[in-house]
Amino acid sequence: MTKTLLWLKIIWAALSSRSNQAFYDKISAFYDDVYVEHEVHARKIIDTLNEIYKDNKNKTLVLDLGCGTGMMTALLTQAGFKAIGIDISLSSLCVHQENYPEHLLVQADANFLPIDDGIFDSVVCLGVWRHFADLNKVLNEVSRVLKDDGTFIVGYFPPAMAGSIDLNQKWWGRLSIRTYHFLTRVLGYVDRADFTLEKETLEIARKKFKSISRVKSDSNKYILLAKHPLKDTKSTRSQEVPLVALDQVLRCPFCMSNGESSGKIKPTKDHWLVCQEPGCNRKYPKLENIPVLLNEEGEKWMRISENDLPITPSKP
């Protein structure tokens, strides 16, 4: 398939979708053929992690936030790290699983991570950062799931329009960004291709991490490295959490977001995860063996008893 045809398909998907989730669902089958330039930044993230965790890689657990079809997660596992991938797009995760059936994957919203506190040594986020409307909320979640000495790597900066078109700060570049933002808002997307994204990220991250630094990833782009999340209380969890199964670390996203309970969930009927907190009653399906831990999905099944849950959930 030619590059021109691929971009025509991207444009059509953008015009016919009304959310970032729907857009990435539609382009998941050919995403890797379009956004090949992301690999240089992904490899710089790996180099950075190798330097930080070189003596303990096989015990280093990394969250790939916005893992998509799997390039970053694959590089992490190939480098010797343990990794869990999270993404909002189920179609992207299905492509990811088909290519890398051994990966541990979860469908979830970055604003409501269905993960226990203090689990990860590092969280990495490549490309998808420009799609988050509330950076403060996502960074709160990132800090929560990190260990006390954890690291967060986010990139790349400056972001590219549509994830591929670099712009400068001359008048035509600023005009292109304003036009693009108008169109994306009309279509129902969030895509921060502007030059203020880095400034806002830095301002928030400095309140949540002890140190922030830039790491150059190519001639004109770089990633941000944040170390040691600032927390109100120290994590009581052991600094080494052996990962045997996803069920060890997954939690009810609704309960974790209110901070008043542990949000423990248990597997049932092979294809369901049920929250064990009194009064919650939220139940989350596994589709294509991928846990779907979205708040709206859990609420959908609240009034259905465990005995009446379908044996095999169907895709929405």
Side-chain angles (χ1 to χ4, degrees):
M1 193 179 298
T2 67
K3 197 77 169 181
T4 301
L5 180 56
L6 287 171
W7 273 104
L8 287 173
K9 290 169 75 71
I10 290 280
I11 293 168
W12 172 248
L15 293 173
S16 60
S17 304
R18 287 298 179 268
S19 70
N20 292 93
Q21 181 178 355
F23 172 72
Y24 280 100
D25 279 344
K26 289 183 178 181
I27 70 168
S28 59
F30 51 90
Y31 176 92
D32 290 334
D33 296 324
V34 177
Y35 293 105
V36 295
E37 67 274 12
H38 287 180
E39 186 172 347
V40 64
H41 310 298
R43 292 196 179 278
K44 177 52 66 173
I45 289 175
I46 296 297
D47 290 344
T48 305
L49 290 174
N50 279 334
E51 184 176 342
I52 297 171
Y53 300 106
K54 57 186 175 183
D55 297 324
N56 210 26
K57 287 201 298 184
N58 64 338
K59 294 182 180 179
T60 300
L61 183 57
V62 183
L63 173 63
D64 184 4
L65 185 61
C67 65
T69 52
M71 177 192 64
M72 185 78 247
T73 321
L75 290 174
L76 286 166
T77 56
Q78 289 163 13
F81 298 100
K82 295 181 179 180
I84 294 175
I86 282 182
D87 202 275
I88 194 69
S89 166
L90 183 62
S91 294
S92 296
L93 290 172
C94 287
V95 173
H96 187 152
Q97 185 181 65
E98 183 177 351
N99 292 332
Y100 308 101
E102 73 280 8
H103 288 181
L104 300 176
L105 306 176
V106 183
Q107 186 186 15
D109 186 337
N111 295 285
F112 305 97
L113 291 178
I115 302 289
D116 199 2
D117 296 345
I119 288 293
F120 291 98
D121 298 282
S122 185
V123 175
V124 301
C125 183
L126 174 63
V128 73
W129 191 251
R130 69 184 199 277
H131 293 313
F132 297 140
D134 190 340
L135 300 184
N136 187 68
K137 193 167 188 177
V138 177
L139 274 170
N140 280 339
E141 285 293 272
V142 167
S143 177
R144 179 181 65 78
V145 303
L146 279 171
K147 295 177 181 177
D148 296 328
D149 60 349
T151 59
F152 175 50
I153 304 179
V154 59
Y156 50 89
F157 296 97
M161 192 169 70
S164 189
I165 304 170
D166 291 329
L167 295 170
N168 60 39
Q169 298 194 57
K170 295 180 179 179
W171 70 267
W172 62 267
R174 295 194 299 272
L175 178 60
S176 297
I177 288 172
R178 284 197 294 269
T179 303
Y180 181 69
H181 283 177
F182 172 77
L183 291 173
T184 53
R185 282 195 298 269
V186 169
L187 293 170
Y189 303 108
V190 175
D191 196 348
R192 293 278 305 276
D194 58 274
F195 299 104
T196 64
L197 179 62
E198 180 191 357
K199 180 181 178 182
E200 184 179 343
T201 301
L202 284 169
E203 287 176 352
I204 299 172
R206 285 185 179 123
K207 298 175 184 178
K208 302 182 187 300
F209 290 87
K210 289 183 180 179
S211 67
I212 311 287
S213 58
R214 285 182 177 184
V215 179
K216 198 166 185 179
S217 56
D218 73 4
S219 60
N220 63 346
K221 292 189 185 296
Y222 45 87
I223 55 180
L224 296 180
L225 168 62
K227 295 182 178 180
H228 302 288
L230 299 170
K231 302 184 181 186
D232 293 334
T233 58
K234 289 286 185 180
S235 173
T236 58
R237 179 173 293 281
S238 165
Q239 286 299 303
E240 291 186 7
V241 181
L243 180 63
V244 176
L246 272 176
D247 296 342
Q248 291 179 283
V249 301
L250 292 182
R251 296 292 184 266
C252 170
F254 175 82
C255 290
M256 295 309 292
S257 67
N258 64 35
E260 297 176 358
S261 60
S262 66
K264 288 186 177 180
I265 54 179
K266 74 167 186 179
T268 186
K269 286 190 172 181
D270 293 330
H271 296 288
W272 291 92
L273 297 167
V274 180
C275 183
Q276 299 301 289
E277 297 299 331
C280 182
N281 296 320
R282 285 168 175 79
K283 305 167 186 73
Y284 303 92
K286 290 183 179 181
L287 300 177
E288 306 294 335
N289 207 36
I290 297 170
V292 179
L293 286 164
L294 299 171
N295 279 334
E296 58 268 28
E297 192 66 29
E299 291 173 3
K300 187 191 302 184
W301 302 95
M302 285 179 67
R303 294 177 177 81
I304 308 293
S305 70
E306 286 189 43
N307 291 333
D308 292 332
L309 290 171
I311 295 175
T312 303
S314 58
K315 279 189 177 183

